Amino acid sequence: MPQRRAIAAAMTAASAPQRRTVLGLGLGFAIVALLSATLYSSSSSSSFAAGPSVRPRGEAVAMRAKRLDTTPTKEGRSPFYSTLDRERMARRRQEVRELMREKRRKATKTTQTLNYEMLPSVEDIYSRQFTGNATVDPIGGRKRYTLIIFFKHDAAKSGPEAIKMQILDYIGFFKNRMSCRSVMAKSMLSPIDGRSQITSLEYPMKEYGEIPKGEKTKKVYHKAVLVKFEMFAPPDAIEYIRKRIYKDNMILRYMLLGHTRSFMDFGEDNELHL
């Protein structure tokens, strides 16, 4: 209303040409507004032709959702198998069932009985004392181990005879001091070429033990002799074996592998398997 009054006052105050100009401008603005409204209504109706129609405010509108497919699916009907294949597999399953039933009929339940006359008494087990000598100590409680030792190779001092004496010394230590049974030692070939008795080390190594008297540092070695020990040893003896190895100046490196997981397996150091 204020705009109309202002326009009317301007028209009355203006001259005739000015009035025509003002009327033309007003008519142009009206035509532009009418065209824009028409275009907006047509574009909105064409863009949302598939959408829901405008409903009065407050009226409930039903939501459209995808209908749930409740038809049962056919299981076991793969398109990759023909009817003959299904019949063949069904006959095979039936044959397996009949075979298993026949085995269950023929099978007789046999339980392995233990000879308790061969077992020691409970008092004897709890009062046992190990002397370290495997020939005197009772059987039982030892685990299977593999000990791989790198003896240093020194052409001047550690020849084949020296290595042999070292191996015999360790075998005696395992049997007579650590109560180890079934001790076996074997000199291994080089894992690099599989032919040489002497193994070239991947990097320079120093010997275990204390620094020899009269020397300031330990020598560096590039070659070694690989020896493997297999034995049944008490688990508590491993600590003393490691101490003996770390004090030996003839050893460069060692690796200890344990193989026993359960004493119920056959071949383990168990009195029940005697």
Side-chain angles (χ1 to χ4, degrees), residues 178-190:
M178 295 291 104
S179 187
C180 299
R181 297 174 60 89
S182 303
V183 181
M184 293 185 296
K186 180 182 179 182
S187 179
M188 301 177 61
L189 299 176
S190 174

Side-chain angles (χ1 to χ4, degrees), residues 108-162:
T108 57
K109 295 182 179 180
T110 57
T111 56
Q112 185 178 2
T113 59
L114 299 176
N115 187 3
Y116 292 97
E117 299 296 333
M118 299 289 294
L119 298 179
S121 61
V122 178
E123 293 80 5
D124 182 21
I125 294 175
Y126 280 97
S127 61
R128 283 181 177 178
Q129 293 182 357
F130 290 85
T131 62
N133 190 352
T135 57
V136 179
D137 294 339
I139 298 174
R142 297 175 181 85
K143 292 184 178 182
R144 290 183 297 116
Y145 292 98
T146 297
L147 179 63
I148 301 175
I149 297 178
F150 275 100
F151 288 98
K152 66 181 182 181
H153 174 70
D154 190 354
K157 297 180 181 179
S158 59
E161 292 296 328

